[in-house]
Amino acid sequence: MAKILEDISRTFNEFLLLPNLTDERCIPNNVSLRTPLVKFKKGEEPKLSANIPMVSAIMQSVSGEKMAIALAREGGCSFIYGAQTIEAQAEMVRNVKKYKAGFITSDSNVKKDATLREVLALIDRTGHSTVMITEDGEPNGKFLGLVTDKDYRVSRANLEEPIENYMVPVEKLVYAKKGITLHEANDIIWDNKISCLPVLDDNGNLDSLVFRKDYESDKDNPYSLLDDNKSFVVGAGINTRDYAQRVPALVEAGVDIICMDSSDGYSVWQKNTIDWVREHYGDSVKIGAGNVVDKEGFYYLADAGADFVKVGVDGGSICITRETKGIGRGQASALLDVIEARNEYYERTGIYIPVCSDGGIVHDYHIMLALAMGADFVMMGRYFARFDESPTRKIKINGQFVKEYWGEGSNRARNWQRYDMGGEAKNKLSFEEGVDSYIPYAGPLKDNVELTISKIKSTMCNCGSITLKELHEKARFTLVSNVSIKEGGAHDVILKDIQLDR
């Protein structure tokens, strides 16, 4: 006989937080939002944590390399979309890892006989205005000099001239020897008022580069999420079909964490994928799984070895799985059920598995509700798709700027692997589970994330908590009626931005 749950399927809109005692500790500057991204044993520290509890969704219209860089700079993590070729996705990961580091390997290199035209084409391709000239044109070749966009004037230059005529030779440059510390390198940069410091080995070969902008970036973005090599942390999405080829390419590119992208994580295909990763990489590769909506799904993925579990089926603004297939659950109900299982699993095994709430977030306070209900971090698509850094076009419709936004279950995404049921590959979707849409443009990520984080910290203080762990223990909720929701907004007044009839 079919089982029917007695509880109503509830969304975030149906809950409000109750304030707790605000004590002397509870000021926003004291609040820490650091949160685990992967599982850990009781008494130990997680191998990977985020400085803010926000990650960007595994979506073509959300998480490219620009998003990954911008979000990591603010302390979060992006999962670069997997609905592309393995080579293209690995290159995105590689570009993020190379973008910011203490000592970086040069990826803009030419021989001295390369023409200015060739150098300009290289700059256009890489986006880097500083180009190294080496004897063989390789990143670690004999260093001859460098050229920046300050060394030539395109409007008056002969584009067919060799770059040797424009470069600053090594004899006139300040450089350092391999073995120097990052602190010493930054001191040299500041003392000599230079933007780039080449680091050479004993044979005069180019070893690495240190940039002034990276030092300044550290000062301007103290919460940047960095690995041990001072590179940005980046994640990537995978599917349950080509993982044997995709995962090795992503690992070679330097990915820090991967996550299976699926509308149904309660699946033997996800267990098979985790088994393969453990067989070939042990615990060195961190892999998230999901999505699930109840305890049974969580326990299945936890026992399979997932490093974190993602919760949510059809809570996203562009997802129509419930409408199409009649399957899913209200995000709040799903999250509360899984959190109860997560806590029980921790008490029973001593292993804490972080939970990611994915979907159902429209307003900033929904993020706060998800965290208070027990989520360790939230994954968002619509929120991040609005920003400059998302991969989509910004266009003007009816006088308003908007960004394109489409679901991974839409025909536009062509992401058939996400809905793989284990049968013969057809490279097509039988029906859509997502829509193609526009969302209001919101500007740069940094400004918006800073505002959201300010709201979260302030609300946590109202809840008498200065850490997410404390919030999980102390949070209290009340259900709200439609009348109560209406009362929570501006009402019974005439807003000043409404034109009055004269």
Side-chain angles (χ1 to χ4, degrees):
M1 174 175 179
K3 178 181 179 182
I4 300 178
L5 299 182
E6 293 183 2
D7 293 337
I8 296 173
S9 181
R10 298 192 182 277
T11 68
F12 291 138
N13 278 327
E14 298 175 77
F15 290 89
L16 284 176
L17 279 160
L18 296 176
N20 290 328
L21 174 65
T22 302
D23 58 36
E24 294 86 351
R25 306 168 306 139
C26 296
I27 58 175
N29 285 344
N30 288 343
V31 173
S32 169
L33 295 179
R34 189 163 176 81
T35 190
L37 292 179
V38 296
K39 67 183 178 184
F40 59 94
K41 293 181 179 178
K42 189 174 184 177
E44 297 182 355
E45 289 295 318
K47 297 295 184 183
L48 187 60
S49 297
N51 292 325
I52 62 172
M54 300 163 67
V55 302
S56 65
I58 309 169
M59 299 176 67
Q60 298 168 32
S61 56
V62 179
S63 297
E65 58 190 80
K66 288 183 179 179
M67 180 64 68
I69 291 167
L71 184 52
R73 187 178 278 130
E74 299 306 312
C77 179
S78 283
F79 286 84
I80 290 178
Y81 67 91
Q84 58 179 318
T85 66
I86 294 172
E87 295 75 18
Q89 187 186 26
E91 185 62 20
M92 282 190 175
V93 169
R94 193 172 291 110
N95 289 340
V96 175
K97 300 304 290 186
K98 289 190 299 186
Y99 183 84
K100 166 70 175 66
F103 296 92
I104 69 170
T105 300
S106 175
D107 64 353
S108 298
N109 314 282
V110 296
K111 296 180 181 179
K112 64 181 180 180
D113 58 356
T115 65
L116 178 58
R117 185 185 302 278
E118 292 172 324
V119 170
L120 292 175
L122 177 63
I123 290 172
D124 183 62
R125 187 168 69 251
T126 64
H128 299 155
S129 60
T130 302
V131 176
M132 302 297 123
I133 292 85
T134 60
E135 203 165 77
D136 58 3
E138 296 298 319
N140 299 117
K142 181 79 171 179
F143 183 62
L144 304 179
L146 62 78
V147 63
T148 73
D149 54 4
K150 297 180 178 64
D151 297 317
Y152 51 81
R153 191 172 176 182
V154 175
S155 61
R156 296 187 177 182
N158 180 356
L159 299 186
E160 305 308 322
E161 279 191 88
I163 200 63
E164 182 180 21
N165 295 351
Y166 296 94
M167 76 177 189
V168 180
V170 62
E171 296 82 11
K172 295 184 178 181
L173 289 170
V174 176
Y175 59 88
K177 288 290 187 179
K178 184 179 179 181
I180 191 173
T181 67
L182 184 58
H183 179 76
E184 292 169 336
N186 283 322
D187 283 345
I188 293 174
I189 288 173
W190 280 91
D191 291 345
N192 292 275
K193 297 180 173 62
I194 56 177
S195 299
C196 174
L197 179 69
V199 179
L200 310 183
D201 66 16
D202 292 336
N203 297 317
N205 297 317
L206 181 62
D207 177 75
S208 57
L209 304 170
V210 180
F211 285 95
R212 181 191 188 99
K213 65 179 178 64
D214 289 343
Y215 175 85
E216 294 172 340
S217 177
D218 284 345
K219 296 299 181 184
D220 293 339
N221 302 281
Y223 297 109
S224 291
L225 192 57
L226 307 174
D227 63 17
D228 293 338
N229 295 318
K230 303 295 184 181
S231 295
F232 285 134
V233 168
V234 60
I238 65 169
N239 60 69
T240 57
R241 184 176 288 276
D242 66 7
Y243 53 83
Q245 296 78 41
R246 191 173 294 269
V247 172
L250 293 172
V251 171
E252 190 277 330
V255 75
D256 296 281
I257 183 171
I258 58 177
C259 181
M260 284 176 281
D261 180 29
S262 173
S263 64
D264 176 21
Y266 193 7
S267 157
V268 68
W269 311 114
Q270 294 223 350
K271 181 182 184 303
N272 292 345
T273 304
I274 295 173
D275 287 345
W276 186 92
V277 168
R278 296 294 178 239
E279 179 185 351
H280 290 82
Y281 295 98
D283 290 329
S284 64
V285 170
K286 304 302 180 183
I287 178 170
N291 287 16
V292 298
V293 295
D294 57 16
K295 293 177 182 178
E296 289 81 359
F298 173 85
Y299 287 133
Y300 182 80
L301 295 178
D303 291 338
D307 285 296
F308 71 87
V309 174
K310 202 144 61 81
V311 178
V313 172
D314 196 35
S317 59
I318 40 68
C319 189
I320 54 172
T321 298
R322 296 180 203 171
E323 180 181 329
T324 303
K325 299 169 70 174
I327 192 168
R329 195 176 190 184
Q331 188 65 13
S333 294
L335 181 58
L336 288 168
D337 200 16
V338 170
I339 292 301
E340 187 176 343
R342 190 271 311 279
N343 293 344
E344 186 280 329
Y345 189 87
Y346 179 53
E347 289 297 320
R348 174 163 52 87
T349 66
I351 299 174
Y352 186 92
I353 301 178
V355 167
C356 169
S357 180
D358 177 19
I361 291 172
V362 177
H363 306 293
D364 283 354
Y365 84 89
H366 289 162
I367 303 174
M368 184 64 207
L369 291 176
L371 297 173
M373 287 178 180
D376 296 280
F377 54 100
V378 296
M379 176 175 281
M380 297 181 290
R382 178 187 174 278
Y383 177 91
F384 288 111
R386 304 173 299 149
F387 303 150
D388 289 323
E389 293 82 1
S390 71
T392 61
R393 295 183 302 162
K394 180 179 78 171
I395 58 180
K396 203 170 191 177
I397 297 179
N398 296 328
Q400 180 183 9
F401 281 110
V402 296
K403 293 274 284 187
E404 296 176 303
Y405 182 44
W406 62 90
E408 290 301 287
S410 66
N411 275 324
R412 179 171 183 174
R414 299 185 181 277
N415 190 3
W416 63 272
Q417 298 100 327
R418 190 175 196 265
Y419 299 90
D420 176 28
M421 298 298 289
E424 183 181 349
K426 296 181 180 180
N427 292 300
K428 68 177 183 178
L429 292 174
S430 299
F431 54 87
E432 290 185 288
E433 294 185 43
V435 300
D436 197 345
S437 65
Y438 299 110
I439 51 173
Y441 166 67
L445 177 145
K446 183 178 180 64
D447 294 345
N448 287 276
V449 168
E450 285 182 349
L451 178 59
T452 298
I453 292 301
S454 293
K455 293 178 183 179
I456 292 173
K457 288 185 174 182
S458 178
T459 308
M460 285 179 62
C461 290
N462 296 144
C463 293
S465 305
I466 61 171
T467 67
L468 292 178
K469 183 177 184 296
E470 187 178 13
L471 178 67
H472 292 168
E473 296 168 352
K474 288 185 174 181
R476 300 184 300 151
F477 293 90
T478 180
L479 286 168
V480 294
S481 66
N482 288 332
V483 176
S484 176
I485 293 172
K486 182 178 179 181
E487 183 185 61
H491 60 90
D492 300 316
V493 295
I494 299 173
L495 299 180
K496 288 185 176 181
D497 60 354
I498 295 178
Q499 293 290 325
L500 297 176
D501 292 332
R502 299 197 176 198

